[in-house]
């Protein structure tokens, strides 16, 4: 049988992609065939520098030998064992390692397959926990506008980008959203630090107005991706922690993007000096070699789930592919690679270099704010730096820069008003130079066409 041409629109149209206008995609397809380190190749043989680690995923780079060898060995032993019946050695080993690495007394680990599952698991656990400890009225989940916690309905209900949410409304009940922290464009029109962190204190007000006896949890990303890598001031997350403690609300940190060394520490919780009650991981957890996510919660919470069998107080939740031995093997090998090769130190060093190069790059005066930590950087694009006036919406300037970069062989995250860079934690100095040279040339080309 002849092979189908993999870039033929008639062949491609059957393969519906995520968050993607398919009519455009089939005309300008991107079909990846292989990867090595920070590079990807498409089926036509074109090379791309993957300055986004897939989508904040491939922490150890593509085609990592240690991860592949571990998975191949595991494949010969066991590929599937449902967590409904029992567990398996890689899952036990990974859970133990995560319990050791996680901050504070977070030591109970449920292994899952996607970030959406991990955040929904966290929210469900909080609801059941409060019922179990005799406070069944605590069920609401507070989250932030601009937050993104996944695409399934429960996770989406806690997410705050209208275009991602409104097509599927009405959302499940019991979710309350608050404005996010965004010092460059404060939703309360205040300036840091004179604001005294009004946005954090507003969360307290909302919980008090909702009634703390109705609120189960607050879920936040330590650094928000949507909106352009929104880094909070250092006191913001500790303040949220204090508010949760004062009002008996559980704090869930969604570290899907910031976890596994991305911000220059194993978890952003460490960067900001905060211990959550629950931690959600995914993306970089297995570097994308197999679907893997995890929800980790504290010994204090888990205590409410131990008991006699007849009491029937197990956590009433689980998914077919959770604790998959092949995924757990990939996760364990990827974490060992991060630790043994000091990829976190590399993220700090290369991140500092990347930030410096980005700051030197603004020849056109359009980089309104450059913000990030470790190897997670965002650039908000503006027409006028003095007034922070954005470009005309129809220009979709960030999208143009992203498309130009892709045409030149560089993959970045791009939105109409910002772009982000987050290469694998293995990135070298020469590769940072290559990213920045390609990016600068892409910005020049787009700006030259505008004038
Ligand atoms: C912060 C955050 N949480 C949750 C998710 C959902 O993860 P998944 O797409 O694996 O379901 C994402 C995905 O982009 C994310 O960025």
């Amino acid at each position: 049988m002849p092979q189908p041409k993999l870039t033929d629109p008639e062949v491609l149209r059957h393969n519906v992609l995520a968050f993607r206008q398919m009519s455009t995609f089939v005309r300008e397809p991107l079909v990846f065939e292989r990867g090595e380190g920070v590079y990807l190749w498409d089926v036509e043989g074109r090379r791309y520098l993957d300055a986004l680690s897939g989508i904040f995923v491939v922490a150890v780079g593509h085609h990592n030998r240690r991860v592949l060898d571990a998975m191949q060995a595991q494949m010969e032993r066991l590929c599937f064992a449902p967590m409904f019946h029992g567990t398996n050695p890689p899952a036990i080993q990974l859970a133990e390692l995560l319990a050791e690495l996680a901050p504070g007394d977070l030591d109970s680990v449920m292994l899952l397959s996607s970030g959406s599952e991990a955040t929904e698991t966290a929210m469900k656990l909080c609801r059941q926990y409060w019922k179990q400890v005799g406070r069944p009225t605590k069920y609401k989940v507070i989250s932030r506008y601009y937050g993104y916690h996944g695409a399934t309905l429960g996770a989406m209900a806690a997410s705050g980008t209208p275009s991602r949410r409104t097509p599927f409304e009405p959302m499940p009940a019991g979710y309350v959203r608050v404005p996010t922290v965004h010092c460059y464009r404060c939703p309360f029109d205040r300036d840091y630090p004179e604001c005294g962190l009004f946005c954090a204190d507003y969360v307290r007000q909302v919980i008090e107005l909702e009634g703390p006896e109705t609120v189960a949890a607050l879920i936040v990303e330590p650094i928000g991706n949507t909106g352009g890598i929104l880094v909070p001031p250092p006191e913001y997350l500790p303040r949220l922690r204090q508010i949760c403690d004062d009002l008996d609300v559980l704090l869930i940190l969604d570290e899907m993007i910031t976890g596994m060394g991305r911000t220059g520490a194993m978890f952003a919780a460490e960067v900001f000096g905060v211990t959550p009650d629950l931690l959600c991981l995914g993306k970089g957890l297995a570097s994308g070699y197999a679907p893997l996510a995890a929800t980790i919660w504290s010994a204090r919470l888990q205590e409410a789930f131990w008991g006699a069998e007849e009491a029937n107080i197990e956590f009433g939740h689980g998914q077919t592919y959770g604790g998959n031995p092949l995924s757990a093997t990939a996760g364990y090998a990827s974490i060992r690679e991060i630790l043994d090769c000091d990829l976190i130190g590399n993220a700090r060093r290369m991140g500092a270099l990347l930030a410096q190069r980005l700051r030197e790059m603004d020849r056109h005066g359009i980089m309104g704010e450059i913000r990030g930590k470790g190897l997670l950087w965002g650039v908000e694009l503006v027409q006028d730096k003095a007034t922070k006036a954005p470009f005309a919406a129809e220009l979709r300037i960030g999208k143009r820069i992203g498309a130009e970069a892709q045409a030149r062989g560089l993959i970045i995250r791009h939105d109409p008003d910002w772009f982000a860079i987050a290469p694998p934690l293995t990135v070298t100095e020469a590769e940072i130079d290559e990213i920045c040279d390609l990016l600068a040339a892409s910005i020049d080309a787009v700006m030259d066409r505008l004038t």
Side-chain angles (χ1 to χ4, degrees):
M1 257 219 335
Q3 288 291 310
K5 182 154 171 21
L6 295 171
T7 51
D8 177 347
E10 274 309 301
V11 175
L12 277 177
R13 72 188 177 87
H14 300 293
N15 184 192
V16 178
L17 301 189
F19 304 111
R20 197 64 198 240
Q21 174 49 253
M22 286 303 291
S23 56
T24 323
F25 180 76
V26 294
R27 273 187 275 116
E28 296 161 12
L30 187 56
V31 185
F32 291 120
E33 190 172 51
R34 85 189 162 86
E36 182 74 50
V38 300
Y39 295 104
L40 288 165
W41 283 263
D42 69 16
V43 285
E44 321 260 74
R46 288 204 59 205
R47 193 182 82 160
Y48 301 83
L49 200 162
D50 179 7
L52 192 56
S53 309
I55 178 98
F56 309 107
V57 170
V58 191
V60 300
H62 298 278
H63 203 250
N64 178 280
R65 198 67 261 163
R66 175 193 214 140
V67 181
L68 294 177
D69 287 347
M71 289 178 78
Q72 269 160 13
Q74 180 59 36
M75 247 186 268
E76 295 297 335
R77 285 187 217 109
L78 181 69
C79 286
F80 178 71
M83 69 157 138
F84 297 84
H85 305 163
T87 182
N88 57 80
I92 296 169
Q93 194 181 29
L94 176 60
E96 190 189 18
L97 179 60
L98 286 173
E100 191 187 304
L101 294 172
D105 72 337
L106 270 67
D107 69 355
S108 298
V109 182
M110 185 174 256
L111 298 175
L112 301 149
S113 310
S114 74
S116 309
E117 287 175 32
T119 55
E120 290 217 11
T121 299
M123 293 185 275
K124 283 180 71 178
L125 187 113
C126 292
R127 284 187 173 180
Q128 193 186 332
Y129 167 80
W130 287 119
K131 290 197 169 56
Q132 221 122 272
V133 297
R135 299 173 73 181
T137 58
K138 284 174 85 65
Y139 69 93
K140 289 179 192 162
V141 174
I142 313 281
S143 63
R144 299 181 307 184
Y145 289 106
Y146 280 119
Y148 182 72
H149 301 292
T152 52
L153 265 183
M156 181 96 303
S159 300
T161 309
S163 60
R164 293 271 165 95
R165 202 181 59 244
T166 46
F168 314 104
E169 286 180 336
M171 288 287 128
Y175 291 84
V176 178
R177 281 175 289 274
V178 294
T180 193
V181 55
H182 192 343
C183 293
Y184 187 68
R185 295 192 187 278
C186 176
F188 298 101
D189 209 12
R190 297 180 183 218
D191 290 314
Y192 175 79
E194 295 79 41
C195 63
L197 279 188
F198 184 82
C199 56
D201 289 338
Y202 188 80
V203 176
R204 181 189 291 275
Q205 277 188 46
V206 168
I207 297 173
E208 281 171 346
L209 288 168
E210 289 291 322
E213 266 318 300
T214 70
V215 179
L218 167 68
I219 182 167
V220 296
E221 296 153 80
I223 295 176
N225 166 44
T226 315
I229 313 300
L230 303 179
V231 183
E235 324 86 283
Y236 175 79
L237 284 168
R239 181 82 61 91
L240 291 188
R241 174 71 274 181
Q242 189 59 52
I243 292 165
C244 287
D245 288 343
D246 292 347
L247 301 176
D248 245 353
V249 168
L250 299 172
L251 177 64
I252 306 171
L253 284 190
D254 177 349
E255 291 229 33
M256 224 56 67
I257 291 177
T258 55
M260 315 323 295
R262 173 62 53 197
T263 62
M266 185 55 91
F267 306 110
E270 296 163 36
V271 174
F272 293 103
V274 163
T275 301
D277 299 292
L278 300 97
L279 180 67
C280 299
L281 303 174
K283 292 195 184 275
L285 184 56
S287 283
Y289 284 77
L292 181 68
T295 306
I296 310 178
W297 57 90
S298 67
R300 175 173 78 92
L301 296 189
Q302 179 61 14
E303 227 168 83
F305 293 86
W306 292 106
E309 190 171 359
E310 51 284 9
N312 196 26
I313 55 170
E314 83 272 1
F315 180 30
H317 177 76
Q319 273 154 320
T320 300
Y321 291 115
N324 178 272
L326 205 50
S327 301
T329 299
Y332 187 83
S334 173
I335 297 173
R336 286 257 57 102
E337 186 79 346
I338 290 170
L339 293 172
D340 297 348
C341 301
D342 188 28
L343 296 186
I344 298 180
N346 195 56
R348 280 196 297 270
R349 287 186 295 276
M350 292 304 115
L353 185 64
L354 174 61
Q356 182 198 327
R357 291 286 318 265
L358 286 171
R359 291 199 181 98
E360 291 163 0
M361 197 186 287
D362 194 14
R363 202 163 75 73
H364 302 277
I366 59 167
M367 294 182 161
E369 192 175 49
I370 299 168
R371 48 197 179 225
K373 292 250 182 254
L375 275 171
L376 177 62
W377 286 88
V379 176
E380 181 158 341
L381 299 160
V382 291
Q383 174 116 46
D384 184 331
K385 269 164 91 159
T387 62
K388 301 185 187 174
F391 281 91
E394 63 276 12
L395 277 181
R396 295 168 67 78
I397 189 78
K399 290 273 171 203
R400 287 187 191 216
I401 291 171
E404 180 67 31
Q406 186 178 309
R408 291 167 182 263
L410 175 71
I411 294 178
I412 60 173
R413 168 88 160 85
H414 48 96
D415 259 47
D417 289 315
W418 57 274
F419 63 79
I421 311 273
L425 309 187
T426 55
V427 72
T428 64
E429 211 171 312
E431 289 159 351
I432 293 282
D433 284 344
E434 193 181 342
I435 291 171
C436 293
D437 291 348
L438 285 166
L439 183 60
S442 306
I443 295 173
D444 285 352
V446 169
M447 293 307 290
D448 288 351
R449 280 202 293 271
L450 283 187
T451 50

